[in-house]
Amino acid sequence: MRASAYPLVDADEAAALVLDHTPLLGVEHVALAEATGRVLAEDLAAESPLPPFPSSAVDGYAVRAEDAGKTLRVLGESAAGRPFEGSLAPGTAARILTGGVVPDGADCVVMVEDVEVAGERVTVPRGLVPGVNFHKVGGDLRAGDVILHAGTQLGAAEIGIAAATGRARVPVHRRPRVALMSTGDELVEVGKTPGRGQIPDSNRWALLAALREAGAEVGVLGIAPDDAEALRRFVTGALESADALVTSGGVSVGTHDLVKPLLESLGTVHIGRVKLKPGKPFTFATLPSPHRQGQGEGLKLAFGLPGFPVSSLVTFEVFVRPALRKMQGFAQLQRPTLPVRLGYDARPTAERTEYQRVTLRREGQELVAETTGSQSSSRLMSLAGAHALVRVPAGHQGLKAGTVVEAMILALP
Ligand code: AMP
Ligand code: MG
């Protein structure tokens, strides 16, 4: 063991520093079929009003309100997609179906249930009010209205709205390409029988899932041994096309921990230790890009996550996920938070902010947080099924049961 040369950086300062170095990726235009989950790169305005024509909300008769109480001559029909082309003079009506264009001259639609029909004549009730039973031009959207703001993630409704305004493609930020590497002589591929002293490379799969959930395209480099030359070979080729490198393991102060020296030799290590539990050895570096891909895309980010499974996922949550979201242009970088009442005494760590894993349950109007049990950084079961992370400030106070805190929500119960 060696003493670390890296200062312990405050966890919030470290998170801010990572974001300061994180570029916004370029824009591409994708077909709506590929747009799910992508982040809009520009405000989208409606080019034309919606609906684009006065459209009937019911099946019935388009009439003039002034003809209330009269028997009218039916001139024709206006169905969805098959408008009645004439205009309605006083004393006339047109049969109309939902979605049909309200003909010129008509100012109101009477529901079929409210009329009496006799051949080509229809008797409408008294007291008709203009403007009833149809959607006005621009009633949903006026031309020029901003319909979707840059930074919005595209889901079903947003994609529907883009389609309704006639867009087949939408401008979105490129997804970050991430090279993922596990390090450690003890690791074997999942599915192979580990020998004595060996363990399955579980971080790869956990981080692959976390990266994809955060919108990244992942290239898996596999398991690199604890050997300086081998590590270098693993990353050099991969860095050509990646925006970021995410590694796990090899960042503590053991003699086999070679990721920090590797990153030192490739670029600039900004953070080598953080006041965070779990995740003290978290490492962050920027690496020069062999070829610039456009403005603001000059640097690649490198995240050296600790090997302990919980440490790697918690540091991913705190540092990597917000950065990946910034790259994609998300307006919202952080997980949402909600006030939760602690159902347990959260003990502090003197020097480090701790992110404790909790489950949530509803109690009346409140969410109550219970610990997921032992918070050991090797115990992934503390994170499996966790609904939230509770931030316990460094110091000696801790948070007593009953305290209400803002928790980072991972999933609601
Ligand atoms: P390290 O950060 O390399 O010192 O690793 C710390 C601990 O995490 C050790 O017990 C490792 O065996 C374990 N570990 C490291 N990498 C992985 C991985 N990819 N999957 C599961 N456990 C790991
Ligand atoms: Mg190791």
Side-chain angles (χ1 to χ4, degrees):
M1 290 290 172
R2 300 156 289 165
S4 174
Y6 295 96
L8 269 165
V9 181
D10 171 81
D12 287 342
E13 280 170 31
L17 195 143
V18 168
L19 289 177
D20 280 349
H21 284 92
T22 302
L24 179 64
L25 297 180
V27 177
E28 60 190 13
H29 289 76
V30 298
L32 293 181
E34 312 304 323
T36 313
R38 304 299 295 270
V39 184
L40 203 58
E42 298 160 16
D43 287 352
L44 289 193
E47 280 162 18
S48 44
L50 212 63
F53 51 82
S55 154
S56 184
V58 296
D59 292 340
Y61 287 82
V63 301
R64 304 167 73 100
E66 66 194 31
D67 283 338
K70 295 185 186 161
T71 298
L72 311 174
R73 193 153 55 85
V74 179
L75 301 183
E77 181 183 270
S78 187
R82 292 187 217 172
F84 171 75
E85 296 299 356
S87 95
L88 296 190
T92 66
R95 212 170 16 256
I96 193 162
L97 298 157
T98 304
V101 180
V102 177
D104 288 347
D107 59 7
C108 135
V109 175
V110 189
M111 284 200 275
V112 70
E113 295 88 329
D114 296 339
V115 301
E116 273 172 40
V117 183
E120 288 308 295
R121 306 218 158 239
V122 62
T123 304
V124 295
R126 294 175 193 286
L128 294 180
V129 182
V132 169
N133 287 334
F134 69 94
H135 302 290
K136 318 293 172 298
V137 174
D140 291 346
L141 281 176
R142 287 164 308 171
D145 280 353
V146 172
I147 47 173
L148 295 171
H149 289 275
T152 303
Q153 187 173 32
L154 300 174
E158 293 76 18
I159 289 172
I161 244 180
T165 56
R167 283 183 179 78
R169 306 180 83 80
V170 281
V172 294
H173 289 284
R174 195 160 70 63
R175 287 187 185 280
R177 290 188 283 265
V178 176
L180 174 63
M181 176 174 77
S182 305
T183 75
D185 286 339
E186 76 279 32
L187 302 177
V188 292
E189 297 284 343
V190 172
K192 290 211 175 119
T193 309
R196 184 166 163 77
Q198 294 185 316
I199 55 167
D201 172 15
S202 64
N203 287 354
R204 179 204 308 189
W205 300 101
L207 289 169
L208 179 62
L211 285 161
R212 287 195 175 147
E213 186 276 337
E217 285 169 7
V218 187
V220 175
L221 305 183
I223 303 167
D226 292 319
D227 172 84
E229 263 321 298
L231 280 180
R232 177 176 296 277
R233 273 199 306 279
F234 262 74
V235 299
T236 33
L239 278 176
E240 289 276 311
S241 56
D243 301 300
L245 171 69
V246 172
T247 67
S248 82
V251 284
S252 24
V253 286
T255 45
H256 296 293
D257 292 322
L258 302 168
V259 170
K260 282 182 171 85
L262 171 75
L263 297 178
E264 288 282 7
S265 74
L266 295 172
T268 310
V269 173
H270 302 279
I271 299 167
R273 289 193 306 161
V274 285
K275 292 181 187 168
L276 180 67
K277 184 181 179 182
K280 185 173 169 189
F282 169 77
T283 300
F284 171 67
T286 49
L287 315 177
S289 175
H291 36 74
R292 293 178 69 97
Q293 287 173 320
Q295 231 188 349
E297 296 194 29
L299 286 176
K300 294 171 184 295
L301 308 184
F303 298 92
L305 309 185
F308 281 114
V310 181
S311 311
S312 69
L313 284 180
V314 169
T315 51
F316 180 90
E317 274 298 326
V318 176
F319 302 114
V320 186
R321 188 175 180 276
L324 294 173
R325 289 173 70 87
K326 182 173 177 189
M327 286 180 169
Q328 295 166 81
F330 272 96
Q332 177 66 37
L333 302 186
Q334 308 297 338
R335 295 269 186 195
T337 65
L338 284 175
V340 306
R341 183 176 296 281
L342 291 184
Y344 70 106
D345 283 335
R347 280 211 281 278
T349 302
E351 296 283 300
R352 293 184 279 159
T353 305
E354 182 170 358
Y355 281 86
Q356 298 189 352
R357 286 76 72 197
V358 298
T359 56
L360 300 176
R361 73 186 139 80
R362 282 171 207 273
E363 230 180 70
Q365 301 286 63
E366 284 187 330
L367 288 169
V368 176
E370 295 294 354
T371 176
T372 54
S374 160
Q375 300 287 297
S376 159
S377 56
S378 61
R379 188 175 165 264
L380 254 191
M381 289 303 286
S382 70
L383 200 47
H387 294 123
L389 299 178
V390 165
R391 213 183 122 102
V392 183
H396 303 281
Q397 299 272 292
L399 301 168
K400 288 263 165 277
T403 313
V404 175
V405 294
E406 282 289 319
M408 223 167 114
I409 304 298
L410 305 173
L412 282 172

